[in-house]
Structures are given as structure tokens and as C-alpha cells.
Amino acid sequence: MKAQEYVLDNCKSFEPKHIFECGQCFRWDKEIDGSYTGIFGNNVLNVSKNNNSIIFKGMCEKDIKETCIKYFDLNRDYEKIKLELSKIDDNLKTSIKYGNGIRILNQDLWETIISFIISANNNIPRIKGIINRISQKYGKEIVYNNKSYYTFPTPEELSKASVEDLRNVGLGFRDIRVYKTTQKIYNKEFDLEKLQQEKETNVIREKLLTLDGVGPKVADCIILFSTLKRFDVFPIDVWVRRVMNELYIKNEDETEVNKKEIEQLAREKYGNLAGIAQQYLFFWKRETA
DNA sequence: ACCCAGGGTCGTC
DNA sequence: GACGACCCTGGG
């Protein structure tokens, strides 16, 4: 474990604000200087942008360059994706202009599962607070720039927490869900490595749905934002429902718009890039709300 | 002070 | 398949 640095030049689709504030991750915070610091795996990283250069520095378990390429999905051509999506319609074109530097991260599967179980009927500041407290209590400390950071606990580490312990860090009614899912994964009743090898998106979704606290929305988020990484899903939350109704369906009573209608619309319009389209729309709608 | 909504899911009918 | 309940917190 040592401090390292990596500079990425001429990367067009990379805007820290867009990446870290589009709702896919909960452990990145803005610094006074405008850079972002986050924790993933056993790494603490600071990311800043200077003209067209992205500067990564921090404590990395392995080689920082390899770590960043994998986590930030740097080998994927977002210019091509954006071009393709922009052709679909003007709504998408506008939202892409707005969040042009979005990239979908390859986040740890286990951490993503627990994080999005916590996200249910919850708001982002509170979700971040809960995850921080869980990490402080059950994760490992990493010191960087004289500050303490805490890794997200492993299944083994989190399995030590009782339902009451979880309630005490502020999980609310999600305590039992996190507890049960943690036990299932820790004792291998639910095998994450096997899930990672699965090919069919629908098979992956069905399996995820067997976990406590994982419904359709959370399952799709896990599939999209983790190392499972499929773009042919379309997580529908209150914001996406809102924006899809506003742009295409135009029902006066938004609550009447059902998920089936939106799912079909997304599949028809966005196809196998629906997941990324969702992120541009979500970021755009939330930022301009 | 009070009310409401927040990246939904679960149990019950 | 619809419907209400659900911890807790920040913002109006």
C-alpha cells in the first residue's frame, strides 16, 4: 500500500462531477478545491481535472493505472455511445449535453448490493451517512494525507453486526434486509462469484430478486452499477418515472404512469443502451429540478 | 411545530 | 395485482 499518481490525458468523456453525482455511487465526496475523494476496494483516491487531464492520486493496493482503468471503465468508448444515443431523439441529446462526462463505474458487486438495499425509500445524504457509519464501525482504516478513511466491510466483517447493531447505525427498517442478505452471502447460500459468471441478464436479475431488500429497481441498479455491468436494464425510480412521463407520456397525474409502460418505452427507444440513457436522464432531471 | 418526500420492498388482502 | 406500512432525516 503506497501513495501513487496517474495522469490521464485527452479523455473526452470524463467529468468528476458528472460521474460522482449521477447517483451511482455513495462514497465520493467533494473537496474544497473541487476535486473528489472516494474509497473503493482497499483504495483511497482523489480525482481532479485540469484542462483535459484527469489526475488520480491516492493509496492503491495495486497499480494505480490498472486500478483506474478497471474502476472507471476507461477502455470503453463513450464518445461512440453518446453519438449513438444522441441520434435517438432531442430529449436524449439535451440530457447528454448536460451530463456529457458521465461514466458508469465498475463497483464491487457486494458493496453495490448492500448500498442499493440501503437506498430503498431513502434520500442520498442519509444513504451516504449510513454507509459511512457502517464502514467506520466494521471496515478497515486507511490513512491518507493524515486523514482516516474506512473501507466498506467485507461480508465476513459485516456478518458480525446484529440486527440491533444495524438499527443503531441508522438503517431503519432496512436493518433486517441487510442482515439477512449479508448472512446469505457470507455463508455462500448466495454465491457472488457464480453470479458474476452468469451470462443472461434476466437470469442475473431473477437471482438477485431472491435476496432480501432487492426488488426490481434495486436489482437493475446492481446490474448496471457493479462489475456485473449490463446496459440493457432500466432502473425506474421516482425521478426516472417523472422525466419519462414529462418527456414522452405526458400524463397529468404522474402517479398513474405504470412501470410496464415506461419499461416498454425504454426498451423500444433505447434498446441495449437503456441503462446509460437512464443515467443521462436521471442526472439531467435531478440537477435541473 | 408540522408535514412531506426520499434512487422501493414487503406482507397482506 | 393493488395497497398501506415502514425508520429516519433534511427541507419547506
Side-chain angles (χ1 to χ4, degrees):
Chain A
M1 201 72 155
K2 55 173 182 164
Q4 302 177 54
E5 187 171 326
Y6 167 55
V7 178
L8 174 66
D9 290 311
N10 296 321
C11 184
K12 281 177 184 164
S13 299
F14 196 117
E15 191 59 52
K17 180 185 164 66
H18 299 172
I19 294 172
F20 301 127
E21 294 186 25
C22 70
Q24 61 177 323
C25 52
F26 303 105
R27 302 216 67 200
W28 287 86
D29 291 311
K30 197 172 191 171
E31 305 283 357
I32 318 159
D33 64 3
S35 68
Y36 286 81
T37 305
I39 309 113
F40 62 97
N42 291 318
N43 314 297
V44 175
L45 212 64
N46 176 268
V47 180
S48 55
K49 186 168 185 175
N50 190 353
N51 296 321
N52 261 339
S53 293
I54 313 295
I55 301 132
F56 304 92
K57 31 185 182 180
M59 305 290 290
C60 278
E61 198 175 21
K62 297 177 184 165
D63 177 60
I64 191 169
K65 183 177 172 184
E66 295 307 315
T67 304
C68 288
I69 288 175
K70 198 171 161 201
Y71 184 71
F72 291 97
D73 209 11
L74 295 179
N75 287 333
R76 193 181 302 272
D77 187 352
Y78 270 80
E79 294 304 308
K80 192 176 149 195
I81 291 171
K82 287 188 287 188
L83 197 63
E84 207 169 311
L85 283 174
S86 293
K87 287 181 197 158
I88 294 172
D89 62 28
D90 284 346
N91 293 326
L92 218 41
K93 208 169 180 174
T94 307
S95 69
I96 287 172
K97 218 175 200 173
Y98 202 83
N100 66 307
I102 287 178
R103 306 186 76 83
I104 314 251
L105 302 167
N106 285 314
Q107 302 184 82
D108 177 72
L109 177 54
W110 150 252
E111 177 175 343
T112 309
I113 290 173
I114 298 301
S115 297
F116 278 90
I117 290 175
I118 295 170
S119 80
N121 193 226
N122 210 341
N123 56 57
I124 291 178
R126 184 173 166 217
I127 298 166
K128 290 176 86 168
I130 292 171
I131 295 174
N132 267 331
R133 288 192 290 279
I134 286 182
S135 301
Q136 268 188 40
K137 198 157 179 198
Y138 301 100
K140 289 182 280 286
E141 183 186 36
I142 297 176
V143 177
Y144 175 62
N145 277 349
N146 295 319
K147 271 185 75 180
S148 287
Y149 296 89
Y150 296 89
T151 62
F152 190 84
T154 61
E156 183 176 3
E157 286 166 341
L158 196 56
S159 73
K160 306 284 190 287
S162 68
V163 179
E164 285 93 343
D165 292 336
L166 292 172
R167 181 61 67 107
N168 287 335
V169 293
L171 270 155
F173 61 78
R174 305 162 197 81
D175 55 0
I176 189 76
R177 300 176 182 174
V178 169
Y179 178 81
K180 283 189 175 171
T181 291
T182 299
Q183 297 300 323
K184 259 191 195 170
I185 290 173
Y186 176 53
N187 68 28
K188 305 277 184 188
E189 188 184 325
F190 190 95
D191 191 336
L192 292 184
E193 293 186 10
K194 233 171 112 186
L195 186 71
Q196 190 73 62
Q197 304 307 319
E198 205 65 61
K199 290 201 167 111
E200 294 287 328
T201 304
N202 282 330
V203 175
I204 294 175
R205 186 190 282 104
E206 289 307 314
K207 288 197 171 179
L208 283 170
L209 288 173
T210 65
L211 291 171
D212 268 84
V214 178
K217 152 71 171 63
V218 170
D220 282 354
C221 283
I222 295 166
I223 293 170
L224 180 59
F225 300 139
S226 74
T227 49
L228 291 173
K229 199 39 132 245
R230 307 294 153 98
F231 293 146
D232 55 340
V233 294
F234 196 75
I236 300 168
D237 58 56
V238 289
W239 294 94
V240 173
R241 177 184 300 230
R242 204 167 287 161
V243 68
M244 291 299 275
N245 182 43
E246 209 174 294
L247 299 181
Y248 303 108
I249 302 170
K250 303 183 196 296
N251 192 322
E252 280 182 33
D253 186 357
E254 175 194 302
T255 56
E256 281 180 7
V257 181
N258 69 18
K259 285 184 76 166
K260 283 260 169 73
E261 201 175 350
I262 298 176
E263 272 168 15
Q264 196 185 335
L265 199 58
R267 210 172 17 247
E268 280 171 10
K269 287 193 169 293
Y270 312 143
N272 58 6
L273 287 177
I276 309 193
Q278 192 266 15
Q279 278 305 277
Y280 290 117
L281 293 169
F282 177 82
F283 181 74
W284 176 44
K285 189 66 198 170
R286 265 189 58 99
E287 290 286 312
T288 55

